[in-house]
């Protein structure tokens, strides 16, 4: 294999000439309209159609298809590339960047040699049992099976090595001082107790009371904004409440026992028993000390093996847990715990999937404290425990059926009488409702409106869409809580509404517009005229705003609903205890005034332990940033010089022709460095 690599450079010109000759003959003999497109559609990795030109290189459909196929194989078909954000455009951008890096490395005489490529392949493709190179045949087999095109793979190896050499050259002078590392550590680990006031247009608008004349003037200037482009309809309808129908259903214990006997799996489980030991962290600086104790308790529990008896855990919980409510019961939660599928990573939810007797792998930091958790046995649900749920479920099913039947009857009567009130009076007894609650009417509504008592309902909109003449009756439709049978009362064609019809909307628009114009000034007034954190709350209330607190805040975290920004972080970090920010900070469309109640400085003793690791991490991050900026500047220059050309029509057609990827078979695990295991 190494001889092959060393000959590569000497034979390159001959290969290129031979390949060019072969292509010329192939085109003359085999060319036919649509032939290449058909072949490419059958196997896109073979397509030579150009998607982009980068200097003297091209990126083809085949290049993109090969990258996609290789990556999908490595994921084992567990999910599609689109699910994790990989699009044809993203693959193209990456390949363009690779070509730029390769050309820049060549320009600076930093391209990887054949020897360097061969050495890298020898290291990456080792047999785990012998530690030796897997051999040429096995190497080809692995590459072909997992990466597709052999030559493309070796080109990527060469480009990767060249990129490393180029990055080392470009970032050779990059450094990070100890002062920068320490400042970064302090900013990341200093803890603040804050009071803050979000200054929002919504809050300010609540105190604004425009006059009737202001509203009319605004309406006249913005009439076109309020035009109804669709017809409005006023609907009267008979409403059948499913819950009310359910109250009339007699359900016996015999029925419920039948339902209970049909339950299976988790539905028949009350949950699992969980034991806990809680170690509280009184102050942030004691966190590592508490964790050390938690680790020590874990070691004691696992001294006799991975599984721990309920009695052994209970003994340690009674003597160590700082939660009095559960400690006296051996750490046992007061009732079996059932998993919430919407919160798989919540504290106790993650224990449900453990086996009985197992501990969670490590102590868990949650809510500022440390938890040690043990999973106990499953607890079967008794009939009496299941009875309320069974009753509600069975009653709801029966109620649906009888409500649907009564709705059909109501629809027939409404078509005969054209009188909603009369139908309501006739059927009130069967519906277990009062006539006044059954006969309902909407204001004038159009598609997309939030209808009183119904909300925004596509089903209701569809039911009334066919009603065009007064007294037209629509089909029965499901709405919130039951069924509705609609009848058209009146219809208004598309038009500009009168002022009184949209007065409330006009008022909201005026208030919001005025509030937005006052936002910054209101925030500045609040910051400039408040002397301390204690005064901030009272000052905010006078403006109709609300002061909030955030204890234990760390920079870069969201400041409650206000969000976060680098500017806000700078202001918070430079505050002193009791101080209010001299100027408000803009976060998104809103402004925020911040005050500091308390500040706990970062532990510099802990920083000293982590200094070398933190410095290396910061240095790596800065090198990446410098290198990315360098390549971006090269790319921008090449674009200006016309050396990068993307054929958008080809890319668009490629994406349009793409079918959803089929699940591929799982591949063997890979060696460190990317080579699949033997």
């Amino acid at each position: 294999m190494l001889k092959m690599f060393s000959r590569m450079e000497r034979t390159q010109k001959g290969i290129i000439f031979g390949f060019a000759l072969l292509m010329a003959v192939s085109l003359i003999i085999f060319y036919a309209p649509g032939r290449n497109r058909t072949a490419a559609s059958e196997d896109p990795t073979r397509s030579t159609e150009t998607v982009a030109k980068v200097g003297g290189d091209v990126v083809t459909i085949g290049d993109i298809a090969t990258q996609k196929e290789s990556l999908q194989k490595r994921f084992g078909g567990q999910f599609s590339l689109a699910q994790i954000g990989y699009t044809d455009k993203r693959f193209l951008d990456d390949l363009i960047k690779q070509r730029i890096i390769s050309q820049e490395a060549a320009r600076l005489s930093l391209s990887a040699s054949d020897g360097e490529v061969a050495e890298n392949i020898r290291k990456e493709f080792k047999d785990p049992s012998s530690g030796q190179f897997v051999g040429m045949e096995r190497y080809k087999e692995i590459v072909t099976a997992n990466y597709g095109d052999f030559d493309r793979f070796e080109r990527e190896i060469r480009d990767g090595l060249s990129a490393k050499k180029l990055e080392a050259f470009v970032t050779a002078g990059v450094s990070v001082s100890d002062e920068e590392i320490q400042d970064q550590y302090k900013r990341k680990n200093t803890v603040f107790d804050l009071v803050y006031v979000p200054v929002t247009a919504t809050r300010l608008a609540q105190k604004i009371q425009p006059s009737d004349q202001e509203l009319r003037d605004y309406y006249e200037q913005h009439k076109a904004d309020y035009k109804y482009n669709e017809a409005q309809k006023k609907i009267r309808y008979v409403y059948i409440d499913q819950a009310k129908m359910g109250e009339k259903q007699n359900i016996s214990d015999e029925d419920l026992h039948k339902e209970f006997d049909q339950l299976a799996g988790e539905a028949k489980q009350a949950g699992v028993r969980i034991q806990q030991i809680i170690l509280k962290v009184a102050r942030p600086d004691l966190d590592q000390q508490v964790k050390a104790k938690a680790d020590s308790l874990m070691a004691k529990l696992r001294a006799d093996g991975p599984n721990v008896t309920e009695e052994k855990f209970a003994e340690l919980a009674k003597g160590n847990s700082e939660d009095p409510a559960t400690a006296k019961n051996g750490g046992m939660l007061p009732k079996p715990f059932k998993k919430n599928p919407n919160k798989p990573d919540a504290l106790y939810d993650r224990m449900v999937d453990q086996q009985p007797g197992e501990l969670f792998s490590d102590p868990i930091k949650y809510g500022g404290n440390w938890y040690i958790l043990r999973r106990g046995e499953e607890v079967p649900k008794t009939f009496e425990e299941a009875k309320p749920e069974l009753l509600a479920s069975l009653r709801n099913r029966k109620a649906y059926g009888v409500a649907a039947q009564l709705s059909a009857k109501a629809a027939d009567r409404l078509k005969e009488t054209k009188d909603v009130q009369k139908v309501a009076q006739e059927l009130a007894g069967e519906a277990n409702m009062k006539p006044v609650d059954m006969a309902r009417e909407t204001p004038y509504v159009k598609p997309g409106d939030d209808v009183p008592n119904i909300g925004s309902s596509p089903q209701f909109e569809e039911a009334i869409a066919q009603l065009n003449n007064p007294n037209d009756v629509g089909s029965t439709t499901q709405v919130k809580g039951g069924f509705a049978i609609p009848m058209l009362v009146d219809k208004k064609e598309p038009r500009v509404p009168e002022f009184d019809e949209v007065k409330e909307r006009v008022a909201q628009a005026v208030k919001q517009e005025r509030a937005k114009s006052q936002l910054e000034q209101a925030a500045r007034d609040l910051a400039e005229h408040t002397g301390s954190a204690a005064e901030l709350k009272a000052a905010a209330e006078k403006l109709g705003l609300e002061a909030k607190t955030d204890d234990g805040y760390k920079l870069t975290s969201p400041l409650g609903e206000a969000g976060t920004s680098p500017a806000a972080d700078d202001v918070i970090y430079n505050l002193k205890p009791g101080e209010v920010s001299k100027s408000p900070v803009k976060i998104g469309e809103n402004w925020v005034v911040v005050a500091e109640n308390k500040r706990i400085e970062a532990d510099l003793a802990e920083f000293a332990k982590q200094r070398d690791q933190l410095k290396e991490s910061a240095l790596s991050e800065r090198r990446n940033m410098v290198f990315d900026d360098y390549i971006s500047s090269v790319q921008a220059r090449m674009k200006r010089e016309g050396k990068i050309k993307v054929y958008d029509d080809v890319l668009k057609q490629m994406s349009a022709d793409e079918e959803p990827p089929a699940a591929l078979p799982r591949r063997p695990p890979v060696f460190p460095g990317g080579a699949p295991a033997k």
Side-chain angles (χ1 to χ4, degrees):
M1 183 187 77
L2 299 180
K3 288 183 179 179
M4 180 194 74
F5 285 141
S6 64
R7 289 199 304 269
M8 197 177 294
E9 223 172 56
R10 293 197 301 272
T11 60
Q12 190 174 26
K13 290 183 179 178
I15 291 172
I16 292 172
F17 176 80
F19 180 76
L21 181 61
L22 178 63
M23 286 298 296
V25 173
S26 299
L27 287 171
I28 294 170
I29 297 174
F30 296 108
Y31 177 75
R35 186 181 190 91
N36 185 53
R37 183 168 291 278
T38 302
S41 65
E42 292 173 355
D43 182 5
T45 61
R46 295 169 55 194
S47 173
T48 58
E49 189 169 3
T50 299
V51 184
K53 290 183 179 179
V54 185
D57 290 332
V58 298
V59 179
T60 67
I61 288 177
D63 292 328
I64 295 176
T66 300
Q67 291 278 356
K68 290 165 67 175
E69 185 179 279
S70 174
L71 191 58
Q72 187 69 66
K73 284 181 179 180
R74 287 182 228 177
F75 286 141
Q78 295 176 354
F79 36 72
S80 70
L81 298 179
Q83 288 176 307
I84 52 175
Y86 280 89
T87 62
D88 289 336
K89 178 67 166 59
R90 178 171 174 178
F91 279 110
L92 177 60
D93 290 343
D94 288 346
L95 286 166
I96 288 174
K97 187 174 180 181
Q98 288 175 21
R99 301 291 194 270
I100 293 170
I101 292 172
S102 177
Q103 291 176 24
E104 188 67 5
R107 186 181 72 81
L108 297 171
S109 301
L110 295 171
S111 297
S113 67
D114 289 344
E116 289 171 318
V117 173
E119 180 64 23
N120 179 268
I121 290 173
R122 281 204 309 267
K123 287 180 180 178
E124 297 294 349
F125 289 81
K126 288 182 179 179
D127 188 317
S129 58
S130 66
Q132 300 299 312
F133 176 64
V134 295
M136 191 63 184
E137 291 305 316
R138 178 60 180 148
Y139 161 64
K140 285 185 175 181
E141 180 185 330
I142 292 171
V143 171
T144 303
N146 290 276
Y147 299 93
D149 189 279
F150 189 82
D151 292 332
R152 280 191 179 119
F153 173 75
E154 292 198 343
R155 175 178 176 170
E156 287 181 15
I157 294 290
R158 186 184 302 277
D159 288 346
L161 293 173
S162 301
K164 287 181 180 178
K165 293 172 74 173
L166 178 62
E167 183 174 3
F169 175 78
V170 171
T171 64
V174 173
S175 64
V176 181
S177 69
D178 286 346
E179 290 76 14
E180 288 178 278
I181 302 300
Q182 181 170 310
D183 182 63
Q184 189 179 66
Y185 177 84
K186 287 168 67 177
R187 289 177 68 91
K188 186 176 180 180
N189 292 280
T190 300
V191 179
F192 307 87
D193 288 353
L194 303 174
V195 177
Y196 67 96
V197 179
V199 183
T200 67
T202 302
R203 287 294 250 174
L204 287 182
Q206 292 175 5
K207 283 216 161 191
I208 296 173
Q209 297 298 328
S211 67
D212 196 67
Q213 188 58 49
E214 286 179 278
L215 298 182
R216 289 183 180 277
D217 291 344
Y218 184 90
Y219 167 76
E220 290 298 330
Q221 294 169 14
H222 299 83
K223 264 187 178 182
D225 297 341
Y226 296 96
K227 181 181 179 181
Y228 294 132
N229 295 311
E230 297 181 76
Q232 290 178 291
K233 297 178 180 180
K234 176 177 281 193
I235 302 296
R236 195 170 292 141
Y237 63 99
V238 178
Y239 175 67
I240 308 295
D241 191 319
Q242 186 174 322
K244 288 289 184 181
M245 295 291 288
E247 292 173 5
K248 293 184 65 177
Q249 305 310 305
N250 293 319
I251 298 173
S252 66
D253 273 6
E254 183 181 353
D255 294 331
L256 294 176
H257 272 290
K258 288 179 182 178
E259 291 286 309
F260 181 72
D261 292 340
Q262 292 174 10
L263 293 179
E266 289 187 7
K268 213 163 186 175
Q269 298 295 330
V272 301
R273 305 289 281 172
I274 293 179
Q275 288 172 282
Q276 66 179 9
I277 296 173
I278 302 179
L279 302 178
K280 297 184 177 180
V281 181
R283 304 193 311 270
D285 59 303
L286 298 176
D287 185 72
Q288 290 304 308
Q289 182 178 327
V290 177
K291 184 181 184 303
K293 181 179 178 180
D295 291 337
S296 174
L297 291 175
M298 286 285 282
K300 288 181 182 179
L301 289 167
R302 286 187 166 139
D304 299 325
N307 283 3
V308 179
T309 65
E310 182 178 318
E311 293 73 22
K312 183 175 181 179
F313 193 97
E315 184 180 346
L316 276 184
K318 288 176 181 177
N320 294 278
S321 182
E322 297 175 15
D323 177 41
T326 57
K328 62 183 180 182
N329 295 322
M332 191 71 72
L333 296 187
K335 59 182 181 180
F337 181 82
K338 195 154 189 179
K339 190 173 185 177
N340 183 345
N342 297 319
K343 297 181 179 180
D345 296 323
L347 178 61
Y348 301 121
D349 292 70
R350 63 189 83 181
M351 290 303 298
V352 177
D353 295 329
Q354 304 284 106
Q355 294 301 311
E358 282 187 345
L359 302 176
F360 195 73
S361 56
D362 296 296
I364 303 171
K365 182 73 175 293
Y366 192 87
N369 301 317
W370 286 96
Y371 286 75
I372 300 172
L373 301 177
R374 175 189 177 273
R375 200 265 207 198
E377 298 292 334
E378 290 181 351
V379 180
K381 186 182 291 184
T382 66
F383 171 73
E384 291 302 324
E385 289 172 329
K387 188 173 179 178
E389 294 178 16
L390 294 173
L391 182 60
S393 175
L394 188 54
R395 175 166 284 155
N396 188 55
R397 295 206 307 272
K398 286 192 173 185
Y400 178 88
V402 294
Q405 289 179 355
L406 186 60
S407 297
K409 182 178 179 179
D412 290 340
R413 288 295 294 140
L414 187 57
K415 288 173 184 176
E416 293 172 8
T417 65
K418 308 293 185 180
D419 189 332
V420 168
Q421 187 65 37
K422 183 175 182 179
V423 174
Q425 288 173 340
E426 288 179 4
L427 302 180
E430 292 181 63
N432 194 31
M433 297 175 68
K434 296 177 182 178
V436 69
D437 295 326
M438 293 180 66
R440 297 184 175 184
E441 187 172 285
T442 73
Y444 285 95
V445 295
K446 64 184 188 309
D449 282 354
D450 195 334
V451 182
N453 296 315
I454 290 178
S456 180
S457 170
Q459 295 91 337
F460 189 73
E461 289 179 10
E462 186 178 345
I464 68 174
Q466 306 304 317
L467 309 182
N468 293 304
N469 301 301
N471 294 330
D472 280 356
V473 176
S475 57
T476 301
T477 183
Q478 266 196 282
V479 294
K480 184 170 62 177
F483 295 86
I485 305 95
M487 184 179 77
L488 181 65
V489 176
D490 190 27
K491 178 181 177 181
K492 292 182 178 180
E493 297 299 335
R495 65 205 166 83
V496 175
E498 297 298 324
F499 169 73
D500 288 338
E501 293 181 68
V502 291
K503 183 176 180 179
E504 188 174 331
R505 288 172 57 198
V506 172
Q508 289 300 320
V510 171
K511 289 180 180 182
Q512 282 290 318
E513 194 171 290
R514 193 186 297 177
K516 286 179 180 178
S517 69
Q518 297 174 2
L519 267 184
E520 182 176 358
Q521 190 56 51
R524 292 193 180 282
D525 290 344
L526 183 61
E528 292 170 4
H529 297 96
T530 307
S532 67
E535 296 175 5
L536 186 58
K537 183 176 181 180
E541 288 176 353
K542 289 181 180 178
L543 290 172
L545 303 171
E546 182 183 0
K548 300 177 181 289
T549 59
D550 193 335
D551 294 340
Y553 176 82
K554 286 188 175 182
L555 300 185
T556 73
S557 303
L559 192 58
E561 298 175 2
T564 189
S565 72
D569 285 346
D570 289 340
V571 168
I572 292 168
Y573 188 69
N574 291 314
L575 285 174
K576 297 176 182 177
E579 189 176 26
V580 180
S581 55
K582 297 292 186 289
S583 299
V585 185
K586 190 171 186 183
I587 302 179
E589 294 184 355
N590 300 318
W591 293 81
V592 179
V593 179
V594 187
E596 182 181 306
N597 269 334
K598 184 181 175 184
R599 179 190 190 105
I600 302 174
E601 297 290 353
D603 183 359
L604 293 183
E606 185 63 29
F607 165 72
K609 298 176 188 176
Q610 302 179 32
R611 185 196 310 269
D612 292 343
Q613 179 183 347
L614 292 170
K615 189 166 186 175
E616 185 57 39
S617 176
L619 194 56
S620 176
E621 186 177 336
R622 184 163 294 181
R623 283 171 178 158
N624 288 339
M625 191 182 303
V626 169
F627 186 63
D628 284 345
D629 289 345
Y630 178 84
I631 297 303
S632 294
S633 67
V634 173
Q635 185 168 354
R637 172 174 54 78
M638 291 180 71
K639 281 184 177 179
R640 288 195 303 270
E641 295 172 354
K643 294 181 179 179
I644 297 177
K645 169 67 175 175
V646 176
Y647 298 95
D648 292 320
D649 56 333
V650 178
L651 181 64
K652 185 176 180 180
Q653 185 59 46
M654 181 182 179
S655 299
D657 292 344
E658 183 184 13
E659 294 182 4
L664 295 167
R666 289 181 177 272
R667 293 286 171 180
V670 297
F671 286 127
K678 183 177 179 181

